[in-house]
Amino acid sequence: MPNSTKEIKVAATPQQVWSFLVDVDQWAPLIPGYIEHEKINDQQFTWKFRADLGMIQKNIVMQVDITEQAERSKVAFTLEGLNENLEGNGSFQVEDATGATSLIGYLDITGKGMMGSVMNSMMKTYVPETVSALTEAIDWKLTSK
């Protein structure tokens, strides 16, 4: 199960970070390889992106279900592959830190079925790179305004 966590300090208030995270239209386009997303409702959207898995590049479509929104502290979601046999979950946690806000991004994606072990080995570097890039892009977007 390829997973990774990335923690960074953001030069924004916890409220500013929270306001950004509760609107998926703001952070969904920041995933590396982003193609598009479609908001189905406030708790669900589809996410289409191009994943660079080393020798293989794939367009992946995931259904994202928001499972938790703890006011000013956490947004959690599950992932289900719509065109690939993948599943997973992720979250963003917001913590007040001295002079900054701590943003912790987490992502876990697992390949299933006959090709699951092959997909999982290819995603061992992809998942950490993706959660790192997405978390850093959120920081950049928040602090470049």
Side-chain angles (χ1 to χ4, degrees):
M1 297 199 294
N3 64 66
S4 185
T5 302
K6 174 72 174 185
E7 181 174 359
I8 60 173
K9 301 293 185 214
V10 179
T13 67
Q15 181 59 43
Q16 289 169 317
V17 176
W18 175 253
S19 294
F20 187 85
L21 292 176
V22 294
D23 183 358
V24 299
D25 290 330
Q26 293 193 77
W27 59 266
L30 301 177
I31 190 169
Y34 174 82
I35 298 171
E36 65 183 3
H37 75 281
E38 180 182 344
K39 196 170 176 181
I40 298 165
N41 58 49
D42 287 342
Q43 302 300 309
Q44 188 177 70
F45 66 99
T46 58
W47 213 355
K48 185 176 182 181
F49 54 94
R50 185 152 184 85
D52 184 355
L53 303 171
M55 295 186 299
I56 298 174
Q57 292 156 5
K58 292 182 159 273
N59 286 349
I60 296 178
V61 181
M62 302 287 278
Q63 177 175 309
V64 182
D65 292 302
I66 305 296
T67 58
E68 181 181 355
Q69 285 187 336
E71 183 70 27
R72 293 191 203 172
S73 65
K74 185 176 184 180
V75 174
F77 51 89
T78 59
L79 302 163
E80 181 182 346
L82 298 179
N83 68 331
E84 296 290 335
N85 200 358
L86 301 169
E87 66 180 28
N89 62 78
S91 65
F92 293 109
Q93 287 186 232
V94 180
E95 297 175 359
D96 201 358
T98 306
T101 300
S102 181
L103 174 62
I104 305 161
Y106 172 78
L107 185 61
D108 182 334
I109 301 176
T110 303
K112 298 291 186 183
M114 292 184 349
M115 296 298 292
S117 62
V118 173
M119 287 291 286
N120 289 335
S121 67
M122 289 189 289
M123 287 192 295
K124 283 188 180 190
T125 57
Y126 174 76
V127 169
E129 290 170 357
T130 300
V131 74
S132 182
L134 180 56
T135 305
E136 290 170 2
I138 290 170
D139 174 39
W140 179 84
K141 193 78 168 173
L142 279 164
T143 57
S144 67
K145 291 182 177 181

